[in-house]
Structures are given as C-alpha cells and as structure tokens.
Amino acid sequence: MPTILFNLGLAFMTSMMGLSLQRSHLISALLCLEGMMLTLFLMLTTWATEQQSSLLFSALMMLLTLSACGAGTGLSLLVTTTRTHGSSNMNNLNLLQC
Amino acid sequence: MHPSITSLLLIALSTSTIITMSSYHWMFAWAGLEINMLSMLPLISKEHHPRAVEATMKYFMTQAAASAMLIFASTINAWQTAQWDISLLTPSTPMMMLTLAITMKLGLAPFHFWLPEVSLGTTNSVMLIITTWQKLAPLAIIILLHNSLNHHLLTSLGLLSMVVGGWGGMNQLQIRKIMAYSSIAHMGWVVMILPKAPDLSLLYLMLYIMLNLTMFLIIISTALTKLTSLFSTQNKSFPMMILMALTLLSMGGLPPMTGFLPKWLILQELIYQHQTQMATLASLSTLLSLFFYLRLVFNAFLTTPPNTSNVTKNWRNQTNHHILLPQMMILSLMLLIITPLVISLF
C-alpha cells in the first residue's frame, strides 16, 4: 500500500509545483488546483477502502462538494479577470505591485 | 452589494471560523477554512474595479493552495497513524507541511507576498477583517497542535517574518500596505513564541487584534489612504491625530502603552528559557517596524502649518467617528497598568 500513497503524494506534489511555477495562463493554475483536489479524493477513497471504514464517505462527499465550489469560484474569477484585465494571462495581474 | 447578501457573507464568515475553532476532525477544520475563504472572496471583490478582482484572484489562489496542502498533510497523517483527530497529528513530515500551510494562510514571511497586494486592492474595512478575524482560524489549529510543533521551523519563520515585515514596510507609501507589513511583523511575534508559551502567543494575538482594530477604526473614520493624505488630516480632527500617533507608538511597542505588554512578557519568557540571542534579534527587528510607525507620526505631525507643505488641502473635512473608537482607544493605550490582571486572563 505505500506504493499507492507514494504515487498519489507524487501526483499531489506535481500539481502543487505546477501551481506554484506556472506563470503563463490562469486556466492552467486552476487545473493544477483541481488536480490537487482530485488526488486528495483518490487518497481518501483508497484510505477508506483499505481501512474498510464507511465513516469517511460523508467526508468524501464534503470534499467533492467544497472542491466543486472552489472550482466554480475559480472559473468565475477567471471570467471576471478576462473582463477587467483584457486577457487571462498571469502576467497581466500586476496592478497591485508597487 | 445588497445588504442581505453582505449579512449572509458575514454570518458565513463568522460561522466558518467557529466551525474550524471547535472542530475535532480534520475534515471539519478544512471545511471551515474553505467556507471561510469562499465567503471572503465576494467581500474582497465588492468594489467593481480591476484592482479588487486582482486582489480576489490572488487571495483565492493562495488560500485554496494552502487549504489543499492542509488536508493533504492530514491525509498523510491518516495513512500513517489511522487517526483523524486534530490533536493527534504527530509524525514530523505532515507536521511540517501543515505548518507551512498555516503559514501561507496567515501570511508569514516566505509566503507573505499576497497580503500587501490584497490589502491594496480592497477597502479598509475588508482589510480590517483580513488582518484580524481571518487570523483566528489558522492560529486556533496551530495552537491546538502546540505540543508536537517543530520548534526550529516556527522560530525561524517567526524571526524571518519579523525582519521581512519591518523591512518591507519601510518603503511603502500606502497606509494599507504599511498596515499589512505591520501585520506580517506582529504575526511573526505570535508564531515565534507559540511552541514555547502558547498562552503568551494568545495574549499577543488578542492585544494585536485590539491595536489593529483601533488603528483601522481611525483609518476608516478619517478616510486615510496614502502617506500624503496624512498631511491634511489634522484639519479633520486634531485630538484623533494625537491619539493616532499614540496608537502607532503603542503598536511599535513603546513602554507606557499597551503594545509594550506582550513584547515585554515574550522577551522575559525567552530570557527565562536561556534564548537571549533570539530575544535580541526579536527586539532589534522591532526597531524596523518602529521606524515606519514613526514615519507615519512624523508625516501627521511635524508637517504642521508653521512649516510650508506642498500638499493640497482637503476640500471636505468631514469625519464620521465610529462608536467603538473611544473604548478601543483607551484599551489600546492604557492596558499596561493592569498587566497582572491581563496576564491572569490567559
């Protein structure tokens, strides 16, 4: 079982690195965020099946719900950024640096 | 924004913080943090201009990444120990990841870049919420865990953010950015003393929230935005400007005011634990913060009418005093004389 944990942790870390190093476009950062949440979902389901515990299933629903809310908010922010800044490139978000 | 939507968002904000503070299971703590972030976003982007949208985007990115990292750390912990209780997070790798996630949520030094930029994009009252109420939920989690925290990591993060907060605020011209950097420096004090004496860090947090509330009430009621607007504010309300100067000195930690109390106790605790180098570094880094507080005081006072100033006078000198302001002012200036009572509360 540590192999599964290692692989999923590697997937999470890859998405995290993608989120922190991705400088070009907003939608790829949002996709990395979704990748992190889906990896967490996989980790929790494998943990629940391995422990044979059904206690976590409601928690899984909670995770899916809140990550969907986060994704929706991210997409709406993407649309708003496109409307206010002209494009959704990351290097356009430089109004507040001074 | 419609008042009912605003009140709904504020209720969600307060409820989610209380959920996180009172939760026993990692999943509920995470859900509270997530609801907290989701209800904060419309408040930040309330003003319809590009700066507010950009601030919302930056806030969303950092907070979402931090809460994902938090739940990842607790999942790793569950795989290793089969436990979901908050107080039972013992292995060292999840502990470090959790500390970094909390650090990102609080805006401490290596992850502090979002805080000044978000502060510039929002209104003063939303910035007041970000620098006070939003610190409570992450600090509640980390105070619950203070037995198994990594001392060296937290101490170095605390010292680093004190120095960065002092250094970054020096060159700023916007009042909200200065307040954001002062928040970074104060959070450094809170986090530095946390593994050694959690009651002192709680005391520091409460007094910091009080001082910050006073300062932001003054800023809101005189509509201060940048350093040059301080030149003409004393036409609005001269006693308030004197009290603002005293509040700033209190935030810097000068002795007869409240702000000296927690710094004094923390330095004493550090010296009792034979960590005099750390106490020296901490008190020296306060000087950096004190410099920019003093610069605010200088701009508010020493440019008074006998001198010539090339700043245009304000057209309207109207202030709307907040009803909480006098009480908060008294608390944030005169609490040092009842130090034993304040200590016995924590």
Side-chain angles (χ1 to χ4, degrees):
Chain A
M1 271 303 156
T3 332
I4 292 180
L5 182 64
F6 176 73
N7 280 331
L8 290 176
L10 199 65
F12 184 89
M13 280 302 164
T14 315
S15 315
M16 190 86 192
M17 292 298 281
L19 177 65
S20 48
L21 299 179
Q22 177 62 248
R23 299 279 169 82
S24 68
H25 208 272
L26 212 48
I27 189 93
S28 41
L30 292 175
L31 280 175
C32 286
L33 216 55
E34 274 318 288
M36 284 156 76
M37 298 318 287
L38 284 179
T39 317
L40 282 174
F41 180 72
L42 284 179
M43 284 178 87
L44 286 175
T45 38
T46 43
W47 186 83
T49 45
E50 198 197 355
Q51 303 280 326
Q52 292 173 348
S53 95
S54 56
L55 279 175
L56 209 61
F57 287 154
S58 56
L60 281 173
M61 282 301 115
M62 212 158 75
L63 184 101
L64 275 186
T65 313
L66 283 172
S67 63
C69 289
T73 318
L75 284 177
S76 64
L77 278 173
L78 175 78
V79 173
T80 326
T81 315
T82 316
R83 286 171 67 91
T84 53
H85 286 70
S87 77
S88 57
N89 285 334
M90 286 288 244
N91 51 10
N92 271 346
L93 296 173
N94 54 7
L95 285 178
L96 298 175
Q97 303 165 348
C98 67
Chain B
M1 201 186 286
H2 198 270
S4 61
I5 297 177
T6 314
S7 59
L8 183 71
L9 289 174
L10 287 178
I11 289 170
L13 199 68
S14 42
T15 317
S16 61
T17 306
I18 293 167
I19 288 174
T20 307
M21 285 159 110
S22 58
S23 60
Y24 192 67
H25 194 282
W26 270 114
M27 216 62 193
F28 285 100
W30 172 78
L33 287 175
E34 200 82 352
I35 296 169
N36 199 357
M37 176 196 74
L38 288 175
S39 56
M40 197 63 211
L41 293 175
L43 288 177
I44 298 178
S45 66
K46 193 168 52 179
E47 310 288 322
H48 298 286
H49 50 67
R51 284 183 288 127
V53 173
E54 191 180 323
T56 318
M57 195 73 218
K58 283 174 176 169
Y59 189 81
F60 171 72
M61 280 296 176
T62 45
Q63 300 287 317
S67 31
M69 201 157 166
L70 184 135
I71 195 75
F72 179 65
S74 58
T75 315
I76 295 273
N77 177 53
W79 272 84
Q80 289 183 355
T81 64
Q83 291 290 343
W84 281 99
D85 302 346
I86 287 188
S87 49
L88 291 178
L89 189 93
T90 38
S92 67
T93 318
M95 197 64 205
M96 277 198 157
M97 287 169 59
L98 177 94
T99 312
L100 291 182
I102 297 281
T103 306
M104 208 192 274
K105 279 209 164 276
L106 284 176
L108 278 172
F111 310 109
H112 70 283
F113 292 99
W114 63 272
L115 187 59
E117 306 198 350
V118 168
S119 80
L120 201 56
T122 54
T123 55
N124 279 326
S125 41
V126 176
M127 190 52 200
L128 171 64
I129 296 177
I130 291 178
T131 48
T132 55
W133 183 257
Q134 297 295 95
K135 310 281 186 203
L136 289 182
L139 275 174
I141 292 179
I142 212 170
I143 282 175
L144 275 178
L145 287 167
H146 73 270
N147 278 325
S148 43
L149 285 173
N150 189 340
H151 282 225
H152 301 291
L153 181 66
L154 272 184
T155 308
S156 47
L157 283 178
L159 278 176
L160 186 65
S161 57
M162 274 183 225
V163 174
V164 164
W167 224 295
M170 271 192 189
N171 207 13
Q172 299 300 329
L173 296 177
Q174 306 280 336
I175 305 271
R176 278 205 294 275
K177 266 197 168 179
I178 291 178
M179 294 314 288
Y181 277 109
S182 105
S183 153
I184 294 169
H186 284 291
M187 280 300 128
W189 278 87
V190 173
V191 163
M192 184 194 72
I193 198 65
L194 204 143
K196 300 179 183 63
D199 48 342
L200 279 185
S201 83
L202 206 58
L203 170 73
Y204 196 105
L205 179 72
M206 287 308 148
L207 290 181
Y208 163 68
I209 284 178
M210 218 163 63
L211 286 170
N212 206 31
L213 182 59
T214 317
M215 196 55 215
F216 266 99
L217 286 180
I218 297 172
I219 290 174
I220 290 169
S221 56
T222 53
L224 285 176
T225 51
K226 48 189 183 298
L227 209 57
T228 46
S229 67
L230 269 173
F231 292 126
S232 54
T233 7
Q234 51 179 297
N235 298 332
K236 291 182 180 171
S237 170
F238 190 67
M240 196 196 269
M241 280 299 108
I242 295 177
L243 289 169
M244 187 198 84
L246 289 176
T247 313
L248 280 172
L249 294 182
S250 176
M251 284 188 101
L254 285 186
M257 268 83 81
T258 306
F260 179 60
L261 196 165
K263 290 197 169 73
W264 183 21
L265 293 175
I266 286 176
L267 291 179
Q268 186 196 24
E269 180 71 28
L270 285 177
I271 290 167
Y272 277 164
Q273 299 192 1
H274 302 289
Q275 284 170 329
T276 40
Q277 296 95 346
M278 200 188 294
T280 315
L281 281 176
S283 49
L284 280 180
S285 66
T286 315
L287 290 180
L288 295 171
S289 305
L290 191 61
F291 173 74
F292 60 78
Y293 295 135
L294 278 179
R295 202 176 55 162
L296 288 180
V297 175
F298 175 81
N299 279 327
F301 272 100
L302 298 184
T303 50
T304 47
N307 300 328
T308 52
S309 74
N310 44 10
V311 179
T312 49
K313 284 266 160 56
N314 267 4
W315 183 58
R316 286 199 313 172
N317 287 325
Q318 175 188 348
T319 51
N320 39 358
H321 297 277
H322 201 279
I323 191 161
L324 259 173
L325 193 52
Q327 293 91 332
M328 293 314 296
M329 199 81 87
I330 291 171
L331 282 180
S332 64
L333 292 183
M334 299 186 169
L335 224 53
L336 190 66
I337 43 179
I338 51 164
T339 308
L341 181 64
V342 177
I343 295 173
S344 67
L345 286 179
F346 286 92

